[in-house]
Amino acid sequence: MNLPELAAFLKTRRARVRPADVGLPTGPRRRVPGLRREEVAQLAGLSADYYTELERGKSAQPSAQTLAALARALRLGGDERDHLYHLADRPVPPAGHGPAGQVQPALLGVLDRLTTTPAQVITDLHEVLVQNELAAALLGRPPAVRGPAASFVYRWFTDPSSRAIYPVEDHPHHSRVFVSDLQAVAAKRGRDAGVARMVAVLRERNEEFARLWDAHEVGMRRTDHKRIVHPSLGVIELDCHNLFSEDGRQRLLWFAAPPGTRGAEQLELLSVIGTQDMTPGEDSAPFRTRSSPDHG
């Protein structure tokens, strides 16, 4: 691991990113045109002390997940991202999709400007790549897992606790939407071994999935009306919108409610509550504030 070069690279990339590029205010007292260290740490979900150690070339050992988070926070291009992994002596992840993949710049640029509504970028298999703080407050942070379990669709049919985010009476609707969406994704990806394995496992493990898959309903979700269960605000009714990347492998989701509705009022309250844990017990785990999946 080339710690001095890694530190120098991070410093120069940080200096290049303007606060406005990531939705941060410029402020009258800013001494440098780029981001501050603590701002990069916040964007990447790291502690300020840990990031400072990286820039000082200390003995920090960043994980692949930490490097992916830094690449997103610093808006690195494909070659720059690969260079970051090489400097940290980590295997370069495949480009384009997956939890460690690089968020497509067009979607990330829009996400940065969605500061007053919950929003996140996911893959076509519903793996969360990056989310804003309001999305974390509304939906919870994604679990630190890899493989099929990184997909919310997979967890929906294999982990009953994942369904607690929606009212029980809405579960059949979401099951149908997830399966019809996966049908379209599987066809678009062609002979994708990972998708084929996921479908095979879900068909074997979940009778509901097998029945819906055999119905061959196809439809990629673009808009939907959702009721989301929040531990302190109750059921929040929102419209969910999707913006797809050009290749269809990533999508930006954002949630909104018409002005004057109860949902709009609840979103205002959500911005105040943030990701505070206001639940009394461990049963609320899907909504509890979690740290970043990996701080390295």
Side-chain angles (χ1 to χ4, degrees), residues 146-151 153-163 179 196-214:
R146 297 183 179 182
S151 165
V153 174
Y154 183 88
R155 297 198 304 275
W156 179 263
F157 291 103
T158 59
D159 179 7
S161 67
S162 68
R163 299 193 174 200
V179 175
R197 284 194 299 270
M198 177 185 293
V199 171
V201 170
L202 291 178
R203 282 175 60 88
E204 181 179 351
R205 293 186 58 178
N206 189 281
E207 181 180 347
E208 181 190 25
F209 179 89
R211 173 175 53 82
L212 292 170
W213 187 263
D214 291 341

PDB file of all heavy atoms in Angstrom, residues 146-151 153-163 179 196-214:
ATOM      1  N   ARG A 146     -22.875  -8.453   1.245  1.00  0.00           N
ATOM      2  CA  ARG A 146     -22.530  -8.570  -0.157  1.00  0.00           C
ATOM      3  C   ARG A 146     -23.301  -9.735  -0.759  1.00  0.00           C
ATOM      4  O   ARG A 146     -23.994 -10.478  -0.062  1.00  0.00           O
ATOM      5  CB  ARG A 146     -21.020  -8.780  -0.320  1.00  0.00           C
ATOM      6  CG  ARG A 146     -20.190  -7.604   0.173  1.00  0.00           C
ATOM      7  CD  ARG A 146     -18.716  -7.845  -0.083  1.00  0.00           C
ATOM      8  NE  ARG A 146     -17.889  -6.723   0.370  1.00  0.00           N
ATOM      9  CZ  ARG A 146     -16.584  -6.655   0.237  1.00  0.00           C
ATOM     10  NH1 ARG A 146     -15.932  -7.660  -0.335  1.00  0.00           N
ATOM     11  NH2 ARG A 146     -15.909  -5.612   0.681  1.00  0.00           N
ATOM     12  N   GLY A 147     -23.128  -9.910  -2.054  1.00  0.00           N
ATOM     13  CA  GLY A 147     -23.798 -11.013  -2.720  1.00  0.00           C
ATOM     14  C   GLY A 147     -25.278 -10.745  -2.902  1.00  0.00           C
ATOM     15  O   GLY A 147     -25.731  -9.594  -2.831  1.00  0.00           O
ATOM     16  N   PRO A 148     -26.074 -11.794  -3.091  1.00  0.00           N
ATOM     17  CA  PRO A 148     -27.509 -11.608  -3.335  1.00  0.00           C
ATOM     18  C   PRO A 148     -28.222 -10.835  -2.239  1.00  0.00           C
ATOM     19  O   PRO A 148     -29.172 -10.096  -2.507  1.00  0.00           O
ATOM     20  CB  PRO A 148     -28.027 -13.052  -3.431  1.00  0.00           C
ATOM     21  CG  PRO A 148     -26.842 -13.852  -3.842  1.00  0.00           C
ATOM     22  CD  PRO A 148     -25.661 -13.199  -3.189  1.00  0.00           C
ATOM     23  N   ALA A 149     -27.776 -10.982  -0.986  1.00  0.00           N
ATOM     24  CA  ALA A 149     -28.446 -10.326   0.135  1.00  0.00           C
ATOM     25  C   ALA A 149     -28.327  -8.809   0.084  1.00  0.00           C
ATOM     26  O   ALA A 149     -29.047  -8.112   0.807  1.00  0.00           O
ATOM     27  CB  ALA A 149     -27.893 -10.837   1.466  1.00  0.00           C
ATOM     28  N   ALA A 150     -27.446  -8.272  -0.764  1.00  0.00           N
ATOM     29  CA  ALA A 150     -27.370  -6.821  -0.929  1.00  0.00           C
ATOM     30  C   ALA A 150     -28.584  -6.284  -1.669  1.00  0.00           C
ATOM     31  O   ALA A 150     -28.875  -5.088  -1.609  1.00  0.00           O
ATOM     32  CB  ALA A 150     -26.099  -6.444  -1.682  1.00  0.00           C
ATOM     33  N   SER A 151     -29.302  -7.158  -2.352  1.00  0.00           N
ATOM     34  CA  SER A 151     -30.491  -6.770  -3.103  1.00  0.00           C
ATOM     35  C   SER A 151     -31.718  -6.768  -2.199  1.00  0.00           C
ATOM     36  O   SER A 151     -32.017  -7.763  -1.535  1.00  0.00           O
ATOM     37  CB  SER A 151     -30.717  -7.758  -4.260  1.00  0.00           C
ATOM     38  OG  SER A 151     -32.020  -7.638  -4.793  1.00  0.00           O
ATOM     39  N   VAL A 153     -34.732  -6.817  -3.208  1.00  0.00           N
ATOM     40  CA  VAL A 153     -35.661  -7.791  -3.768  1.00  0.00           C
ATOM     41  C   VAL A 153     -35.376  -9.176  -3.183  1.00  0.00           C
ATOM     42  O   VAL A 153     -36.292  -9.902  -2.795  1.00  0.00           O
ATOM     43  CB  VAL A 153     -35.566  -7.837  -5.304  1.00  0.00           C
ATOM     44  CG1 VAL A 153     -36.434  -8.957  -5.867  1.00  0.00           C
ATOM     45  CG2 VAL A 153     -35.984  -6.507  -5.893  1.00  0.00           C
ATOM     46  N   TYR A 154     -34.105  -9.523  -3.109  1.00  0.00           N
ATOM     47  CA  TYR A 154     -33.729 -10.825  -2.530  1.00  0.00           C
ATOM     48  C   TYR A 154     -34.143 -10.901  -1.068  1.00  0.00           C
ATOM     49  O   TYR A 154     -34.726 -11.897  -0.621  1.00  0.00           O
ATOM     50  CB  TYR A 154     -32.221 -11.032  -2.678  1.00  0.00           C
ATOM     51  CG  TYR A 154     -31.740 -12.374  -2.175  1.00  0.00           C
ATOM     52  CD1 TYR A 154     -31.714 -13.484  -3.010  1.00  0.00           C
ATOM     53  CD2 TYR A 154     -31.298 -12.530  -0.858  1.00  0.00           C
ATOM     54  CE1 TYR A 154     -31.270 -14.719  -2.559  1.00  0.00           C
ATOM     55  CE2 TYR A 154     -30.851 -13.751  -0.389  1.00  0.00           C
ATOM     56  CZ  TYR A 154     -30.846 -14.845  -1.238  1.00  0.00           C
ATOM     57  OH  TYR A 154     -30.407 -16.069  -0.777  1.00  0.00           O
ATOM     58  N   ARG A 155     -33.855  -9.844  -0.307  1.00  0.00           N
ATOM     59  CA  ARG A 155     -34.206  -9.855   1.118  1.00  0.00           C
ATOM     60  C   ARG A 155     -35.718  -9.877   1.307  1.00  0.00           C
ATOM     61  O   ARG A 155     -36.221 -10.468   2.276  1.00  0.00           O
ATOM     62  CB  ARG A 155     -33.599  -8.637   1.824  1.00  0.00           C
ATOM     63  CG  ARG A 155     -32.078  -8.613   1.794  1.00  0.00           C
ATOM     64  CD  ARG A 155     -31.506  -7.659   2.841  1.00  0.00           C
ATOM     65  NE  ARG A 155     -32.003  -6.297   2.725  1.00  0.00           N
ATOM     66  CZ  ARG A 155     -31.501  -5.380   1.921  1.00  0.00           C
ATOM     67  NH1 ARG A 155     -30.493  -5.679   1.119  1.00  0.00           N
ATOM     68  NH2 ARG A 155     -31.986  -4.155   1.893  1.00  0.00           N
ATOM     69  N   TRP A 156     -36.451  -9.233   0.396  1.00  0.00           N
ATOM     70  CA  TRP A 156     -37.905  -9.191   0.505  1.00  0.00           C
ATOM     71  C   TRP A 156     -38.498 -10.592   0.548  1.00  0.00           C
ATOM     72  O   TRP A 156     -39.448 -10.871   1.287  1.00  0.00           O
ATOM     73  CB  TRP A 156     -38.488  -8.411  -0.675  1.00  0.00           C
ATOM     74  CG  TRP A 156     -39.990  -8.323  -0.696  1.00  0.00           C
ATOM     75  CD1 TRP A 156     -40.857  -9.104  -1.398  1.00  0.00           C
ATOM     76  CD2 TRP A 156     -40.802  -7.391   0.036  1.00  0.00           C
ATOM     77  NE1 TRP A 156     -42.150  -8.732  -1.174  1.00  0.00           N
ATOM     78  CE2 TRP A 156     -42.146  -7.670  -0.288  1.00  0.00           C
ATOM     79  CE3 TRP A 156     -40.518  -6.348   0.922  1.00  0.00           C
ATOM     80  CZ2 TRP A 156     -43.210  -6.948   0.243  1.00  0.00           C
ATOM     81  CZ3 TRP A 156     -41.573  -5.623   1.447  1.00  0.00           C
ATOM     82  CH2 TRP A 156     -42.894  -5.931   1.111  1.00  0.00           C
ATOM     83  N   PHE A 157     -37.931 -11.513  -0.214  1.00  0.00           N
ATOM     84  CA  PHE A 157     -38.461 -12.874  -0.305  1.00  0.00           C
ATOM     85  C   PHE A 157     -37.720 -13.884   0.570  1.00  0.00           C
ATOM     86  O   PHE A 157     -38.092 -15.054   0.610  1.00  0.00           O
ATOM     87  CB  PHE A 157     -38.441 -13.351  -1.761  1.00  0.00           C
ATOM     88  CG  PHE A 157     -39.432 -12.631  -2.643  1.00  0.00           C
ATOM     89  CD1 PHE A 157     -39.011 -11.644  -3.519  1.00  0.00           C
ATOM     90  CD2 PHE A 157     -40.788 -12.935  -2.583  1.00  0.00           C
ATOM     91  CE1 PHE A 157     -39.922 -10.978  -4.329  1.00  0.00           C
ATOM     92  CE2 PHE A 157     -41.708 -12.264  -3.379  1.00  0.00           C
ATOM     93  CZ  PHE A 157     -41.278 -11.289  -4.261  1.00  0.00           C
ATOM     94  N   THR A 158     -36.672 -13.461   1.275  1.00  0.00           N
ATOM     95  CA  THR A 158     -35.928 -14.395   2.124  1.00  0.00           C
ATOM     96  C   THR A 158     -35.835 -13.954   3.579  1.00  0.00           C
ATOM     97  O   THR A 158     -35.519 -14.769   4.446  1.00  0.00           O
ATOM     98  CB  THR A 158     -34.495 -14.592   1.580  1.00  0.00           C
ATOM     99  OG1 THR A 158     -33.814 -13.328   1.542  1.00  0.00           O
ATOM    100  CG2 THR A 158     -34.526 -15.205   0.188  1.00  0.00           C
ATOM    101  N   ASP A 159     -36.094 -12.695   3.842  1.00  0.00           N
ATOM    102  CA  ASP A 159     -35.976 -12.165   5.214  1.00  0.00           C
ATOM    103  C   ASP A 159     -37.261 -11.436   5.578  1.00  0.00           C
ATOM    104  O   ASP A 159     -37.465 -10.286   5.165  1.00  0.00           O
ATOM    105  CB  ASP A 159     -34.785 -11.208   5.307  1.00  0.00           C
ATOM    106  CG  ASP A 159     -34.626 -10.614   6.700  1.00  0.00           C
ATOM    107  OD1 ASP A 159     -35.352 -11.030   7.627  1.00  0.00           O
ATOM    108  OD2 ASP A 159     -33.773  -9.709   6.857  1.00  0.00           O
ATOM    109  N   PRO A 160     -38.157 -12.072   6.342  1.00  0.00           N
ATOM    110  CA  PRO A 160     -39.452 -11.445   6.664  1.00  0.00           C
ATOM    111  C   PRO A 160     -39.325 -10.083   7.321  1.00  0.00           C
ATOM    112  O   PRO A 160     -40.201  -9.222   7.145  1.00  0.00           O
ATOM    113  CB  PRO A 160     -40.103 -12.469   7.607  1.00  0.00           C
ATOM    114  CG  PRO A 160     -39.469 -13.776   7.250  1.00  0.00           C
ATOM    115  CD  PRO A 160     -38.055 -13.437   6.880  1.00  0.00           C
ATOM    116  N   SER A 161     -38.247  -9.842   8.073  1.00  0.00           N
ATOM    117  CA  SER A 161     -38.121  -8.558   8.768  1.00  0.00           C
ATOM    118  C   SER A 161     -37.971  -7.393   7.794  1.00  0.00           C
ATOM    119  O   SER A 161     -38.288  -6.249   8.131  1.00  0.00           O
ATOM    120  CB  SER A 161     -36.916  -8.589   9.720  1.00  0.00           C
ATOM    121  OG  SER A 161     -35.701  -8.675   9.002  1.00  0.00           O
ATOM    122  N   SER A 162     -37.508  -7.665   6.576  1.00  0.00           N
ATOM    123  CA  SER A 162     -37.339  -6.591   5.601  1.00  0.00           C
ATOM    124  C   SER A 162     -38.670  -5.995   5.178  1.00  0.00           C
ATOM    125  O   SER A 162     -38.725  -4.870   4.689  1.00  0.00           O
ATOM    126  CB  SER A 162     -36.590  -7.108   4.370  1.00  0.00           C
ATOM    127  OG  SER A 162     -37.390  -8.031   3.651  1.00  0.00           O
ATOM    128  N   ARG A 163     -39.755  -6.739   5.374  1.00  0.00           N
ATOM    129  CA  ARG A 163     -41.074  -6.275   4.941  1.00  0.00           C
ATOM    130  C   ARG A 163     -41.734  -5.314   5.926  1.00  0.00           C
ATOM    131  O   ARG A 163     -42.787  -4.747   5.633  1.00  0.00           O
ATOM    132  CB  ARG A 163     -41.999  -7.469   4.698  1.00  0.00           C
ATOM    133  CG  ARG A 163     -41.506  -8.413   3.619  1.00  0.00           C
ATOM    134  CD  ARG A 163     -42.582  -9.390   3.201  1.00  0.00           C
ATOM    135  NE  ARG A 163     -42.160 -10.203   2.064  1.00  0.00           N
ATOM    136  CZ  ARG A 163     -42.987 -10.850   1.264  1.00  0.00           C
ATOM    137  NH1 ARG A 163     -44.305 -10.801   1.490  1.00  0.00           N
ATOM    138  NH2 ARG A 163     -42.539 -11.567   0.245  1.00  0.00           N
ATOM    139  N   VAL A 179     -41.298  -8.634  -8.587  1.00  0.00           N
ATOM    140  CA  VAL A 179     -41.090  -9.756  -9.504  1.00  0.00           C
ATOM    141  C   VAL A 179     -41.238  -9.320 -10.956  1.00  0.00           C
ATOM    142  O   VAL A 179     -40.442  -9.719 -11.815  1.00  0.00           O
ATOM    143  CB  VAL A 179     -42.064 -10.908  -9.178  1.00  0.00           C
ATOM    144  CG1 VAL A 179     -41.932 -12.028 -10.209  1.00  0.00           C
ATOM    145  CG2 VAL A 179     -41.777 -11.461  -7.782  1.00  0.00           C
ATOM    146  N   ALA A 196     -29.486 -15.144 -12.890  1.00  0.00           N
ATOM    147  CA  ALA A 196     -30.036 -16.501 -13.006  1.00  0.00           C
ATOM    148  C   ALA A 196     -29.951 -17.246 -11.681  1.00  0.00           C
ATOM    149  O   ALA A 196     -30.906 -17.945 -11.288  1.00  0.00           O
ATOM    150  CB  ALA A 196     -29.292 -17.265 -14.100  1.00  0.00           C
ATOM    151  N   ARG A 197     -28.833 -17.098 -10.971  1.00  0.00           N
ATOM    152  CA  ARG A 197     -28.696 -17.755  -9.660  1.00  0.00           C
ATOM    153  C   ARG A 197     -29.687 -17.192  -8.664  1.00  0.00           C
ATOM    154  O   ARG A 197     -30.295 -17.940  -7.872  1.00  0.00           O
ATOM    155  CB  ARG A 197     -27.264 -17.604  -9.142  1.00  0.00           C
ATOM    156  CG  ARG A 197     -26.247 -18.513  -9.826  1.00  0.00           C
ATOM    157  CD  ARG A 197     -24.950 -18.554  -9.043  1.00  0.00           C
ATOM    158  NE  ARG A 197     -24.343 -17.228  -8.947  1.00  0.00           N
ATOM    159  CZ  ARG A 197     -23.484 -16.744  -9.825  1.00  0.00           C
ATOM    160  NH1 ARG A 197     -23.133 -17.476 -10.885  1.00  0.00           N
ATOM    161  NH2 ARG A 197     -22.950 -15.550  -9.662  1.00  0.00           N
ATOM    162  N   MET A 198     -29.857 -15.861  -8.675  1.00  0.00           N
ATOM    163  CA  MET A 198     -30.800 -15.254  -7.757  1.00  0.00           C
ATOM    164  C   MET A 198     -32.214 -15.777  -7.988  1.00  0.00           C
ATOM    165  O   MET A 198     -32.924 -16.148  -7.048  1.00  0.00           O
ATOM    166  CB  MET A 198     -30.786 -13.726  -7.890  1.00  0.00           C
ATOM    167  CG  MET A 198     -31.808 -13.033  -6.994  1.00  0.00           C
ATOM    168  SD  MET A 198     -31.915 -11.242  -7.247  1.00  0.00           S
ATOM    169  CE  MET A 198     -30.314 -10.724  -6.642  1.00  0.00           C
ATOM    170  N   VAL A 199     -32.618 -15.809  -9.244  1.00  0.00           N
ATOM    171  CA  VAL A 199     -33.960 -16.288  -9.569  1.00  0.00           C
ATOM    172  C   VAL A 199     -34.117 -17.743  -9.139  1.00  0.00           C
ATOM    173  O   VAL A 199     -35.143 -18.127  -8.557  1.00  0.00           O
ATOM    174  CB  VAL A 199     -34.239 -16.126 -11.072  1.00  0.00           C
ATOM    175  CG1 VAL A 199     -35.545 -16.828 -11.456  1.00  0.00           C
ATOM    176  CG2 VAL A 199     -34.312 -14.647 -11.436  1.00  0.00           C
ATOM    177  N   ALA A 200     -33.107 -18.564  -9.399  1.00  0.00           N
ATOM    178  CA  ALA A 200     -33.184 -19.983  -9.044  1.00  0.00           C
ATOM    179  C   ALA A 200     -33.330 -20.172  -7.534  1.00  0.00           C
ATOM    180  O   ALA A 200     -34.149 -20.980  -7.070  1.00  0.00           O
ATOM    181  CB  ALA A 200     -31.947 -20.715  -9.558  1.00  0.00           C
ATOM    182  N   VAL A 201     -32.554 -19.420  -6.781  1.00  0.00           N
ATOM    183  CA  VAL A 201     -32.624 -19.534  -5.319  1.00  0.00           C
ATOM    184  C   VAL A 201     -33.979 -19.073  -4.803  1.00  0.00           C
ATOM    185  O   VAL A 201     -34.593 -19.722  -3.944  1.00  0.00           O
ATOM    186  CB  VAL A 201     -31.484 -18.714  -4.669  1.00  0.00           C
ATOM    187  CG1 VAL A 201     -31.693 -18.625  -3.154  1.00  0.00           C
ATOM    188  CG2 VAL A 201     -30.141 -19.344  -4.975  1.00  0.00           C
ATOM    189  N   LEU A 202     -34.471 -17.948  -5.324  1.00  0.00           N
ATOM    190  CA  LEU A 202     -35.753 -17.431  -4.862  1.00  0.00           C
ATOM    191  C   LEU A 202     -36.906 -18.364  -5.238  1.00  0.00           C
ATOM    192  O   LEU A 202     -37.847 -18.550  -4.456  1.00  0.00           O
ATOM    193  CB  LEU A 202     -35.992 -16.031  -5.435  1.00  0.00           C
ATOM    194  CG  LEU A 202     -35.074 -14.933  -4.886  1.00  0.00           C
ATOM    195  CD1 LEU A 202     -35.369 -13.603  -5.576  1.00  0.00           C
ATOM    196  CD2 LEU A 202     -35.222 -14.790  -3.380  1.00  0.00           C
ATOM    197  N   ARG A 203     -36.836 -18.967  -6.400  1.00  0.00           N
ATOM    198  CA  ARG A 203     -37.873 -19.919  -6.801  1.00  0.00           C
ATOM    199  C   ARG A 203     -37.901 -21.112  -5.856  1.00  0.00           C
ATOM    200  O   ARG A 203     -38.967 -21.644  -5.523  1.00  0.00           O
ATOM    201  CB  ARG A 203     -37.635 -20.402  -8.235  1.00  0.00           C
ATOM    202  CG  ARG A 203     -38.058 -19.401  -9.305  1.00  0.00           C
ATOM    203  CD  ARG A 203     -37.681 -19.920 -10.689  1.00  0.00           C
ATOM    204  NE  ARG A 203     -38.331 -21.200 -10.965  1.00  0.00           N
ATOM    205  CZ  ARG A 203     -39.538 -21.321 -11.503  1.00  0.00           C
ATOM    206  NH1 ARG A 203     -40.225 -20.238 -11.818  1.00  0.00           N
ATOM    207  NH2 ARG A 203     -40.050 -22.500 -11.729  1.00  0.00           N
ATOM    208  N   GLU A 204     -36.725 -21.520  -5.410  1.00  0.00           N
ATOM    209  CA  GLU A 204     -36.640 -22.676  -4.524  1.00  0.00           C
ATOM    210  C   GLU A 204     -37.043 -22.347  -3.094  1.00  0.00           C
ATOM    211  O   GLU A 204     -37.692 -23.156  -2.420  1.00  0.00           O
ATOM    212  CB  GLU A 204     -35.209 -23.230  -4.542  1.00  0.00           C
ATOM    213  CG  GLU A 204     -35.012 -24.458  -3.664  1.00  0.00           C
ATOM    214  CD  GLU A 204     -33.594 -24.994  -3.714  1.00  0.00           C
ATOM    215  OE1 GLU A 204     -32.813 -24.507  -4.558  1.00  0.00           O
ATOM    216  OE2 GLU A 204     -33.270 -25.880  -2.916  1.00  0.00           O
ATOM    217  N   ARG A 205     -36.697 -21.136  -2.638  1.00  0.00           N
ATOM    218  CA  ARG A 205     -36.896 -20.805  -1.229  1.00  0.00           C
ATOM    219  C   ARG A 205     -38.245 -20.173  -0.921  1.00  0.00           C
ATOM    220  O   ARG A 205     -38.691 -20.212   0.231  1.00  0.00           O
ATOM    221  CB  ARG A 205     -35.786 -19.842  -0.766  1.00  0.00           C
ATOM    222  CG  ARG A 205     -34.414 -20.463  -0.743  1.00  0.00           C
ATOM    223  CD  ARG A 205     -33.391 -19.513  -0.133  1.00  0.00           C
ATOM    224  NE  ARG A 205     -33.747 -19.115   1.225  1.00  0.00           N
ATOM    225  CZ  ARG A 205     -32.997 -18.325   1.983  1.00  0.00           C
ATOM    226  NH1 ARG A 205     -31.848 -17.857   1.519  1.00  0.00           N
ATOM    227  NH2 ARG A 205     -33.370 -17.998   3.205  1.00  0.00           N
ATOM    228  N   ASN A 206     -38.898 -19.579  -1.910  1.00  0.00           N
ATOM    229  CA  ASN A 206     -40.113 -18.822  -1.613  1.00  0.00           C
ATOM    230  C   ASN A 206     -41.222 -19.183  -2.594  1.00  0.00           C
ATOM    231  O   ASN A 206     -41.103 -18.933  -3.801  1.00  0.00           O
ATOM    232  CB  ASN A 206     -39.812 -17.318  -1.659  1.00  0.00           C
ATOM    233  CG  ASN A 206     -40.963 -16.482  -1.157  1.00  0.00           C
ATOM    234  OD1 ASN A 206     -41.926 -16.252  -1.878  1.00  0.00           O
ATOM    235  ND2 ASN A 206     -40.873 -16.023   0.083  1.00  0.00           N
ATOM    236  N   GLU A 207     -42.297 -19.732  -2.069  1.00  0.00           N
ATOM    237  CA  GLU A 207     -43.412 -20.162  -2.911  1.00  0.00           C
ATOM    238  C   GLU A 207     -44.091 -18.983  -3.595  1.00  0.00           C
ATOM    239  O   GLU A 207     -44.515 -19.080  -4.753  1.00  0.00           O
ATOM    240  CB  GLU A 207     -44.423 -20.931  -2.057  1.00  0.00           C
ATOM    241  CG  GLU A 207     -45.623 -21.458  -2.817  1.00  0.00           C
ATOM    242  CD  GLU A 207     -46.583 -22.210  -1.921  1.00  0.00           C
ATOM    243  OE1 GLU A 207     -46.204 -22.528  -0.770  1.00  0.00           O
ATOM    244  OE2 GLU A 207     -47.722 -22.475  -2.364  1.00  0.00           O
ATOM    245  N   GLU A 208     -44.216 -17.862  -2.875  1.00  0.00           N
ATOM    246  CA  GLU A 208     -44.847 -16.679  -3.463  1.00  0.00           C
ATOM    247  C   GLU A 208     -44.054 -16.198  -4.670  1.00  0.00           C
ATOM    248  O   GLU A 208     -44.628 -15.882  -5.723  1.00  0.00           O
ATOM    249  CB  GLU A 208     -44.954 -15.564  -2.429  1.00  0.00           C
ATOM    250  CG  GLU A 208     -45.620 -14.304  -2.972  1.00  0.00           C
ATOM    251  CD  GLU A 208     -45.493 -13.124  -2.020  1.00  0.00           C
ATOM    252  OE1 GLU A 208     -44.540 -13.102  -1.211  1.00  0.00           O
ATOM    253  OE2 GLU A 208     -46.345 -12.214  -2.112  1.00  0.00           O
ATOM    254  N   PHE A 209     -42.726 -16.133  -4.529  1.00  0.00           N
ATOM    255  CA  PHE A 209     -41.895 -15.705  -5.653  1.00  0.00           C
ATOM    256  C   PHE A 209     -42.067 -16.639  -6.844  1.00  0.00           C
ATOM    257  O   PHE A 209     -42.230 -16.181  -7.988  1.00  0.00           O
ATOM    258  CB  PHE A 209     -40.427 -15.645  -5.247  1.00  0.00           C
ATOM    259  CG  PHE A 209     -39.516 -15.237  -6.373  1.00  0.00           C
ATOM    260  CD1 PHE A 209     -39.241 -13.903  -6.609  1.00  0.00           C
ATOM    261  CD2 PHE A 209     -38.953 -16.193  -7.221  1.00  0.00           C
ATOM    262  CE1 PHE A 209     -38.420 -13.514  -7.668  1.00  0.00           C
ATOM    263  CE2 PHE A 209     -38.137 -15.815  -8.275  1.00  0.00           C
ATOM    264  CZ  PHE A 209     -37.865 -14.475  -8.501  1.00  0.00           C
ATOM    265  N   ALA A 210     -42.025 -17.954  -6.608  1.00  0.00           N
ATOM    266  CA  ALA A 210     -42.154 -18.920  -7.698  1.00  0.00           C
ATOM    267  C   ALA A 210     -43.478 -18.758  -8.431  1.00  0.00           C
ATOM    268  O   ALA A 210     -43.530 -18.793  -9.674  1.00  0.00           O
ATOM    269  CB  ALA A 210     -42.012 -20.337  -7.151  1.00  0.00           C
ATOM    270  N   ARG A 211     -44.546 -18.544  -7.671  1.00  0.00           N
ATOM    271  CA  ARG A 211     -45.862 -18.382  -8.291  1.00  0.00           C
ATOM    272  C   ARG A 211     -45.903 -17.120  -9.143  1.00  0.00           C
ATOM    273  O   ARG A 211     -46.394 -17.137 -10.283  1.00  0.00           O
ATOM    274  CB  ARG A 211     -46.943 -18.343  -7.205  1.00  0.00           C
ATOM    275  CG  ARG A 211     -48.336 -18.003  -7.726  1.00  0.00           C
ATOM    276  CD  ARG A 211     -49.354 -18.096  -6.600  1.00  0.00           C
ATOM    277  NE  ARG A 211     -48.979 -17.321  -5.439  1.00  0.00           N
ATOM    278  CZ  ARG A 211     -49.176 -16.006  -5.319  1.00  0.00           C
ATOM    279  NH1 ARG A 211     -49.712 -15.323  -6.339  1.00  0.00           N
ATOM    280  NH2 ARG A 211     -48.837 -15.376  -4.220  1.00  0.00           N
ATOM    281  N   LEU A 212     -45.385 -16.016  -8.614  1.00  0.00           N
ATOM    282  CA  LEU A 212     -45.394 -14.764  -9.360  1.00  0.00           C
ATOM    283  C   LEU A 212     -44.461 -14.832 -10.568  1.00  0.00           C
ATOM    284  O   LEU A 212     -44.770 -14.288 -11.632  1.00  0.00           O
ATOM    285  CB  LEU A 212     -44.994 -13.604  -8.442  1.00  0.00           C
ATOM    286  CG  LEU A 212     -46.001 -13.247  -7.339  1.00  0.00           C
ATOM    287  CD1 LEU A 212     -45.392 -12.253  -6.359  1.00  0.00           C
ATOM    288  CD2 LEU A 212     -47.275 -12.679  -7.949  1.00  0.00           C
ATOM    289  N   TRP A 213     -43.327 -15.480 -10.415  1.00  0.00           N
ATOM    290  CA  TRP A 213     -42.390 -15.589 -11.534  1.00  0.00           C
ATOM    291  C   TRP A 213     -43.009 -16.389 -12.680  1.00  0.00           C
ATOM    292  O   TRP A 213     -42.872 -16.017 -13.852  1.00  0.00           O
ATOM    293  CB  TRP A 213     -41.093 -16.250 -11.075  1.00  0.00           C
ATOM    294  CG  TRP A 213     -40.028 -16.240 -12.120  1.00  0.00           C
ATOM    295  CD1 TRP A 213     -39.699 -17.249 -12.988  1.00  0.00           C
ATOM    296  CD2 TRP A 213     -39.149 -15.155 -12.428  1.00  0.00           C
ATOM    297  NE1 TRP A 213     -38.668 -16.871 -13.809  1.00  0.00           N
ATOM    298  CE2 TRP A 213     -38.308 -15.586 -13.486  1.00  0.00           C
ATOM    299  CE3 TRP A 213     -38.976 -13.876 -11.912  1.00  0.00           C
ATOM    300  CZ2 TRP A 213     -37.320 -14.772 -14.037  1.00  0.00           C
ATOM    301  CZ3 TRP A 213     -37.994 -13.057 -12.463  1.00  0.00           C
ATOM    302  CH2 TRP A 213     -37.181 -13.507 -13.511  1.00  0.00           C
ATOM    303  N   ASP A 214     -43.713 -17.428 -12.340  1.00  0.00           N
ATOM    304  CA  ASP A 214     -44.337 -18.267 -13.367  1.00  0.00           C
ATOM    305  C   ASP A 214     -45.519 -17.579 -14.042  1.00  0.00           C
ATOM    306  O   ASP A 214     -45.974 -18.024 -15.104  1.00  0.00           O
ATOM    307  CB  ASP A 214     -44.794 -19.597 -12.761  1.00  0.00           C
ATOM    308  CG  ASP A 214     -43.615 -20.486 -12.365  1.00  0.00           C
ATOM    309  OD1 ASP A 214     -42.506 -20.248 -12.884  1.00  0.00           O
ATOM    310  OD2 ASP A 214     -43.803 -21.397 -11.537  1.00  0.00           O
TER     311      ASP A 214
END
